[in-house]
Amino acid sequence: MSRDTVTFAPMANAIRALSMDAVQAANSGHPGMPMGMADAACVLWSEYLRYDASAPDWADRDRFVLSAGHGSMLLYSLLHLSGFAHPTMDELRAFRQIGSPCAGHPENFLLDGVEATTGPLGQGLAMAVGMALAERHLNAEFGDALVDHRTWVIAGDGCLMEGVNHEAIGLAGHLKLGRMIVLWDDNNITIDGGTELSTSEDVRARYAASGWHVVSCNGHDVDEVRRALDEALADPRPSLVACKTVIGMGAPNKQGTSATHGAALGEDEVAAARKTLGWEHSPFDIPEDVLSKWREAGARGAIAHREWQDRVAAHDRSAEFEARMAGTLPDSADWADYKASLAAEKPTMATRKSSEAALAVLTQEIPALVGGSADLTGSNNTKVPSTTPLSAQDYAGRYIYYGIREFGMGAAMNGMALHGGIVPYGGTFLIFSDYCRPAIRLSALQQVRVIYVMTHDSIGLGEDGPTHQPVEHLASLRAVPNLLVMRPADALECAECWELALAQADRPSVLALTRQNLPALRDDAAENLSARGAYRLRAATSARKVILIATGSEVELAVKVADALEGQGIGADVVSMPCAELFDEQDAGYKADILPNVPPGDILRVSIEAGTTFGWERYTMANGLNIGLDRFGASGPAEELFARFGFTVEAIVPQITDRISK
Ligand SMILES: Cc1ncc(C[n+]2csc(CCOP(=O)(O)OP(=O)(O)O)c2C)c(N)n1
Ligand SMILES: [Mg+2]
């Protein structure tokens, strides 16, 4: 052991003590990982990571992501010890209790310094790729004076084993994100036991093959860790630093075993660890000399921070930069004209096309918009002239070819949004929302503005068949809290939905868009009616007996059904519902106007959507009629499929008249 390792030991042991004591107090949590990585984290946070504990929102700070989120006590300890305002010692004592920001796994919206919500293994590292990408993009845009930082990750065996790791490191290697450095807690242990139970992969070779620099070190030796980190800094490629560690290091009877992974060590073992570590202080007591060393580490970056502030103040684009980082989007001068032109010209077009047309306007005026697609650019219509390709040769580009990496794309978009300065949007087929669903969930949980452009949103995609035809996807995405699912009915609604998605500073949106053409349904663009979530597109002319509620491509059909009903003297409202979540947020008066609370015998509510009917009862009530598709689709031309599955006036009208006459 080097001299420095001895000097550092009390600092690292403070992490170990806080971690084992907090887990013991909660009788729940993961002491092994923080105890194993305490030494390496200590070197990183006191010598390498550029941050200022007194200014956690410093835009040019290094980003640190604890991808192995179960080791949350490592991060909470680091934040407390280095001098962040939170967590306080009382908050640490309340680890994993309701009301403490020290949640079971780190949550970005509970604590400054928690750059990402982690715990779902693999996603932290994959989000860090997005952060590193955001850094390079903003550097290309604003220069070294304003943007010049690194992205550091601590990841475990699990993060490297998850499938998304392959997508993430492939993207990072290809884009040559050399300012990203991953410290791998190479402890050969996961929950079930030794890693030999489940893997024989040569992780280093896989990273090297993906264009990464790989270096190994003893994660408990300060000089070794320094040597490895210096090598990583010097190498132009993204780096994997394999830190060989002992899980639960310091717990004499349990270290090196999975017993330390996810359970309190127990009073006896905690006492034994205190002896082994030479840590004589009572739980949650950090001696002054150790704390002051940590506070010095946390203040190290203050000078760099001040120098940066001076550079910002002197910079001719400082206002623009600050607005970018604050997420304030410029008003679009052409936007109202664009929407008015749609109302006037009433174009017939697929909503994927009208999304492209909206993007052509928006990307010109909102430089923060950075687009991309998981290899379906021509189908998702996500690329427009002002978004030139972003590549390792040109980070200033605004269009990312993610490759066939839907999950990697979603996670990278989360990372970009978390980094700030970028409003990411990315496309794939709606069916493949399944492939990035964990990232969509984390967008929602993390409260970030990420826009998923998901085209080919129903059997209307036609011949590709049931493997490609989403059925349950709208319903399942609507089940995700804090996520807006938007399904516009025409070009104008599509523009309105884009406007709404951009306005959501703290939640993601999914735009579900058609492959097939849709007619224009609206004459007036003065008010963004989609903002209401649902609105009366057409009012009944005869005495109202029916309310037809439809979304996206089925609104056109609802209008035709209404015509047929009116022809029989049955009054029918047509309600377009581009976004159920926004409708749910309207006041009771508005909701009662659109969907009056009258006995079902008086007014029949009918939903029409080319997807599973699951969930529509909340709008049509128990006695309503739900027209949908509660089975998988089929291969064939779109129009024939709609006919085959009953999405026609002829099939729907009798079902309605039948119900009314009863
Ligand atoms: C996607 C996902 N699957 C499973 C889990 C449950 N889980 C938490 S930690 C862990 C083992 C991780 O092993 P490793 O990364 O080596 O952590 P260590 O035991 O070394 O701390 C598992 C399976 C999870 N958090 N996320
Ligand atoms: Mg492990």
Side-chain angles (χ1 to χ4, degrees):
M1 230 181 237
S2 73
R3 244 195 29 237
D4 277 352
T5 301
V6 176
T7 323
F8 265 102
M11 290 176 80
N13 286 342
I15 296 173
R16 292 191 170 95
L18 283 175
S19 299
M20 68 181 183
D21 289 335
V23 172
Q24 192 63 39
N27 196 22
S28 159
H30 301 77
M33 188 267 157
M35 295 177 80
M37 276 302 276
D39 300 303
C42 190
V43 175
L44 176 60
W45 276 63
S46 59
E47 293 186 351
Y48 288 82
L49 187 73
R50 200 173 73 136
Y51 67 110
D52 176 355
S54 69
D57 58 353
W58 171 20
D60 199 27
R61 68 190 181 277
D62 281 1
R63 302 302 194 268
F64 172 78
V65 176
L66 183 72
S67 190
H70 57 282
S72 55
M73 269 311 301
L74 174 68
L75 182 49
Y76 301 149
S77 303
L78 289 165
L79 294 174
H80 176 82
L81 292 167
S82 65
F84 282 69
H86 294 277
T88 62
M89 196 56 98
D90 282 344
E91 288 165 345
L92 285 174
R93 284 177 194 273
F95 173 56
R96 290 188 159 228
Q97 306 309 305
I98 293 170
S100 171
C102 299
H105 294 79
E107 295 178 26
N108 65 305
F109 49 91
L110 293 181
L111 281 174
D112 286 337
V114 175
E115 304 282 4
T117 293
T118 54
L121 296 174
Q123 285 203 67
L125 193 156
M127 288 191 278
V129 172
M131 293 180 189
L133 186 52
E135 191 274 342
R136 280 299 83 190
H137 176 69
L138 291 166
N139 170 274
E141 180 109 338
F142 291 98
D144 286 346
L146 300 192
V147 184
D148 184 16
H149 56 267
R150 292 179 199 282
T151 305
W152 304 84
V153 177
I154 289 184
D157 300 299
C159 290
L160 273 50
M161 212 183 290
E162 288 288 352
V164 70
N165 188 255
H166 172 70
E167 299 182 23
I169 70 163
L171 197 57
H174 177 69
L175 290 171
K176 301 193 184 346
L177 300 176
R179 300 176 141 252
M180 173 167 180
I181 301 178
V182 175
L183 283 74
W184 167 26
D185 179 16
D186 180 14
N187 62 16
N188 296 94
I189 291 287
T190 66
I191 291 178
D192 278 355
T195 46
E196 76 281 358
L197 288 171
S198 59
T199 181
S200 341
E201 181 181 283
D202 185 341
V203 172
R204 292 169 178 76
R206 178 165 63 86
Y207 270 70
S210 303
W212 283 57
H213 157 253
V214 179
V215 57
S216 302
C217 67
N218 173 352
H220 297 299
D221 185 302
V222 168
D223 288 335
E224 280 260 301
V225 174
R226 281 186 185 137
R227 173 191 54 77
L229 294 183
D230 287 340
E231 196 183 305
L233 289 179
D235 197 284
R237 295 166 292 179
S239 288
L240 177 71
V241 180
C243 304
K244 185 52 81 184
T245 62
V246 176
I247 190 170
M249 177 74 161
N253 306 301
K254 293 191 171 179
Q255 67 181 30
T257 74
S258 58
T260 66
H261 165 91
L265 296 176
E267 299 291 352
D268 292 349
E269 185 69 359
V270 167
R274 278 197 148 66
K275 277 216 181 74
T276 305
L277 297 170
W279 188 264
E280 291 155 0
H281 320 283
S282 47
F284 304 105
D285 177 22
I286 306 295
E288 256 327 298
D289 57 328
V290 178
L291 191 61
S292 73
K293 272 199 195 144
W294 263 118
R295 294 290 147 95
E296 261 172 49
R300 247 173 55 246
I303 294 169
H305 179 209
R306 265 199 305 281
E307 288 169 356
W308 177 84
Q309 283 175 316
D310 292 343
R311 289 198 298 277
V312 173
H315 203 279
D316 54 359
R317 290 174 68 198
S318 58
E320 183 191 348
F321 176 74
E322 282 170 349
R324 268 295 277 277
M325 291 308 292
T328 317
L329 305 185
D331 285 334
S332 167
D334 294 340
W335 186 243
D337 288 348
Y338 170 67
K339 288 200 298 180
S341 76
L342 294 176
E345 289 162 24
K346 305 197 85 175
T348 292
M349 65 204 303
T351 45
R352 62 176 173 144
K353 271 306 256 186
S354 45
S355 169
E356 178 183 350
L359 277 171
V361 181
L362 293 167
T363 52
Q364 277 193 16
E365 308 195 20
I366 306 175
L369 270 172
V370 172
S373 168
D375 202 46
L376 287 168
T377 295
S379 302
N380 301 145
N381 299 64
T382 32
K383 185 160 178 339
V384 290
S386 49
T387 56
T388 55
L390 185 156
S391 67
Q393 291 71 45
D394 181 13
Y395 290 118
R398 290 168 59 197
Y399 193 81
I400 300 164
Y401 290 104
Y402 286 102
I404 307 93
R405 300 184 177 105
E406 295 84 6
F407 192 2
M409 172 177 76
M413 291 200 293
N414 282 337
M416 284 186 260
L418 288 164
H419 179 282
I422 291 178
V423 176
Y425 69 90
T428 183
F429 290 152
L430 180 60
I431 192 87
F432 301 130
S433 59
D434 287 340
Y435 274 54
C436 55
R437 197 179 170 84
I440 298 175
R441 185 173 197 274
L442 269 195
S443 306
L445 179 57
Q446 296 184 108
Q447 304 171 9
V448 289
R449 179 168 42 192
V450 170
I451 302 169
Y452 294 88
V453 180
M454 305 231 151
T455 67
H456 298 58
D457 70 347
S458 77
I459 49 169
L461 67 85
E463 293 82 351
D464 271 345
T467 54
H468 283 52
Q469 293 162 351
V471 175
E472 74 281 21
H473 298 77
L474 291 167
S476 73
L477 290 167
R478 285 183 188 128
V480 179
N482 201 42
L483 171 68
L484 297 186
V485 180
M486 304 192 194
R487 191 165 185 249
D490 70 357
L492 180 53
E493 271 195 12
C494 184
E496 291 178 340
C497 288
W498 262 109
E499 186 178 318
L500 290 165
L502 289 171
Q504 311 301 315
D506 51 15
R507 58 182 166 181
S509 301
V510 169
L511 297 176
L513 306 173
T514 65
R515 171 178 186 243
Q516 75 274 25
N517 276 339
L518 301 179
L521 299 170
R522 288 250 303 275
D523 306 312
D524 186 1
E527 185 188 344
N528 184 335
L529 294 175
S530 301
R532 293 286 203 170
Y535 63 93
R536 192 176 294 115
L537 177 69
R538 280 218 347 215
T541 44
S542 312
R544 182 170 61 180
K545 284 299 226 172
V546 176
I547 297 175
L548 300 160
I549 314 163
T551 76
S553 46
E554 284 70 68
V555 179
E556 171 195 9
L557 175 59
V559 170
K560 289 181 182 155
V561 170
D563 285 344
L565 291 170
E566 296 279 358
Q568 299 183 32
I570 301 168
D573 279 1
V574 176
V575 171
S576 177
M577 188 180 270
C579 182
E581 295 85 358
L582 288 178
F583 180 68
D584 293 345
E585 291 172 8
Q586 301 303 307
D587 61 49
Y590 180 79
K591 285 196 246 190
D593 176 42
I594 301 300
L595 299 179
N597 288 317
V598 296
D602 294 351
I603 297 181
L604 176 70
R605 297 189 194 173
V606 181
S607 67
I608 311 178
E609 185 173 73
T612 180
T613 57
F614 185 93
W616 273 105
E617 312 81 7
R618 68 194 307 198
Y619 303 108
T620 57
M621 302 189 293
N623 296 310
L625 178 63
N626 301 118
I627 310 287
L629 189 62
D630 290 308
R631 51 156 289 172
F632 294 117
S635 299
E639 284 198 5
E640 290 175 31
L641 290 174
F642 279 118
R644 160 93 195 277
F645 293 119
F647 293 93
T648 60
V649 175
E650 299 70 38
I652 294 172
V653 170
Q655 295 181 64
I656 295 173
T657 49
D658 191 40
R659 291 288 284 274
I660 291 177
S661 59
K662 272 184 190 157

